[in-house]
């Protein structure tokens, strides 16, 4: 199956929202337009504020992505601002180089790194086929009318993603792979920690003219605090109460240039 790059868990979350309806309404049309898109640009911004011992650590992570399919290739620019702790930047290029093989080029601001990845390692970026694969239940989305969004009319939807649906998305998407790699917890433990995950409030906008999803906002504060508490308990430590509390965690995903994404060329220094 041809692999299509996107934003991992966030792509799955977008699919989760769009899978709420079938028929001839804007939601169903938006889902179909995403599925058949040959290319697109996307920007993901995550804002995380953590209160620790009376101090607040504010971080903003941004990812700008251009993705193409057939053949699959992607460019991703990432930045992380951490206040007094400094900042990080990275650039990633990926291209399909064989039937089941991809080459990744990563730049950390100092040097390029090149590696080969099998198609199975990139399944979390698959944005084709039946998007319902990512979900265990559908969110309850309600159309709130039409409003102006960046100068264009857009249908606005609000609702929640249930905890059970979020659990399925996070497990299927590979969003927690870094957690299992960096901490003493395995996949079975992570699956257990996700039981009873809090619901997440979602707002979704669909362009009225093109019927493409153009923006999604999520408030994940309660869900992430609950997950952190269960993780600390699993590791034998105290809960976050009175120690570290996430006062805000929000994600905004904007999509644009469907079938006309910003083209790119992999730098010669990366290919050397």
């Amino acid at each position: 199956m041809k692999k299509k790059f996107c934003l991992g868990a966030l792509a799955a979350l977008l699919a989760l929202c769009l899978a709420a309806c079938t028929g001839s309404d804007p939601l169903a049309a938006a889902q179909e337009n995403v599925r058949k898109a040959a290319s697109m640009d996307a920007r993901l911004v995550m804002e995380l504020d953590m209160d620790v011992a009376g101090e607040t650590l504010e971080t903003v992570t941004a990812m700008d992505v251009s993705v193409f399919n057939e053949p699959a290739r992607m460019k991703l620019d990432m930045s992380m601002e951490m206040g007094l702790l400094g900042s990080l930047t990275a650039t990633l290029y990926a291209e399909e180089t064989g039937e089941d093989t991809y080459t990744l080029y990563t730049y950390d601001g100092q040097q390029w790194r090149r590696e080969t990845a099998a198609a199975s390692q990139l399944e979390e970026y698959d944005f084709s086929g039946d998007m319902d694969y990512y979900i265990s239940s559908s969110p309850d989305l309600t159309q709130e009318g039409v409003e102006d969004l960046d100068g264009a009319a857009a249908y606005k939807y609000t609702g929640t993603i249930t905890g059970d649906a979020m659990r399925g998305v996070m497990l299927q998407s590979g969003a927690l792979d870094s957690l299992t790699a960096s901490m003493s917890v395995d996949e079975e433990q992570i699956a257990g920690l996700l039981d009873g995950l809090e619901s997440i409030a979602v707002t979704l906008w669909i362009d009225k003219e093109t019927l493409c999803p153009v923006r999604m906002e999520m408030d994940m504060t309660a869900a992430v605090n609950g997950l952190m508490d269960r993780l600390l308990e699993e590791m034998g430590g105290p809960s976050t109460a009175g120690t570290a509390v996430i006062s805000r965690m929000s994600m905004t995903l904007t999509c644009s240039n469907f079938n006309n994404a910003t083209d790119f060329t992999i730098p010669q220094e990366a290919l050397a």
Side-chain angles (χ1 to χ4, degrees):
M1 178 174 62
K2 183 71 68 176
K3 297 301 168 187
K4 297 185 178 182
F5 294 112
C6 203
L7 294 176
L10 267 296
L13 288 170
L14 179 58
L16 176 61
C17 289
L18 298 179
C21 243
T22 58
S24 58
D25 58 44
L27 280 170
Q31 183 179 14
E32 180 62 21
N33 286 334
V34 170
R35 286 178 174 176
K36 68 182 184 182
S39 66
M40 64 181 287
D41 291 333
R43 178 174 175 82
L44 168 66
V45 178
M46 182 181 75
E47 297 180 84
L48 174 64
D49 296 346
M50 179 180 291
D51 298 329
V52 182
E55 300 291 334
T56 299
L57 173 63
E58 299 179 354
T59 64
V60 179
T61 302
M63 288 186 286
D64 292 288
V65 185
S66 296
V67 292
F68 292 82
N69 303 302
E70 314 230 10
R73 58 194 184 98
M74 172 183 73
K75 178 186 178 184
L76 183 151
D77 290 312
M78 187 274 289
S79 66
M80 180 180 291
E81 299 293 338
M82 299 175 289
L84 295 177
L85 296 181
S87 62
L88 297 172
T89 60
T91 298
L92 169 70
Y93 293 89
E95 63 175 353
E96 185 179 28
T97 51
E99 181 64 26
D100 292 305
T101 306
Y102 296 81
T103 301
L104 311 181
Y105 307 88
T106 307
Y107 184 64
D108 61 6
Q110 295 185 343
Q111 63 181 2
W112 285 96
R113 185 179 65 183
R114 178 176 178 173
E115 59 185 310
T116 300
S120 59
Q121 295 175 263
L122 299 175
E123 286 184 352
E124 65 192 84
Y125 302 110
D126 184 15
F127 207 40
S128 61
D130 187 0
M131 293 188 181
D132 292 345
Y133 172 82
Y134 293 104
I135 65 174
S136 57
S137 62
S138 296
D140 180 16
L141 290 173
T142 302
Q143 188 179 130
E144 303 289 348
V146 177
E147 66 180 35
D148 180 88
L149 184 68
D150 298 328
Y155 296 106
K156 179 181 180 181
Y157 289 83
T158 59
T160 58
I161 298 176
T162 67
D164 286 343
M166 280 297 304
R167 181 182 188 276
V169 167
M170 297 182 83
L171 288 175
Q172 295 289 3
S173 67
L176 299 176
D177 287 352
S178 60
L179 186 62
T180 59
S182 61
M183 305 185 74
S184 300
V185 289
D186 57 28
E187 292 182 1
E188 184 176 346
Q189 289 173 303
I190 288 294
L193 291 172
L194 292 174
D195 287 334
L197 197 65
E198 296 279 349
S199 296
I200 292 177
V202 174
T203 305
L204 173 70
W205 289 265
I206 297 173
D207 184 87
K208 186 177 181 180
E209 180 178 355
T210 65
L211 295 181
C212 289
V214 290
R215 183 175 179 131
M216 181 175 67
E217 296 178 351
M218 293 173 290
D219 183 352
M220 306 179 70
T221 308
V224 174
N225 272 310
L227 181 59
M228 284 183 60
D229 277 341
R230 288 191 290 275
L231 176 59
L232 289 173
E233 291 173 3
E234 181 74 18
M235 297 178 67
S239 73
T240 58
T243 56
V245 176
I246 294 177
S247 55
R248 180 178 66 151
M249 182 173 179
S250 64
M251 290 188 180
T252 301
L253 175 64
T254 57
C255 302
S256 61
N257 298 330
F258 285 87
N259 300 308
N260 190 31
T262 304
D263 206 354
F264 61 86
T265 301
I266 299 175
Q268 285 299 316
E269 53 266 35
L271 300 172

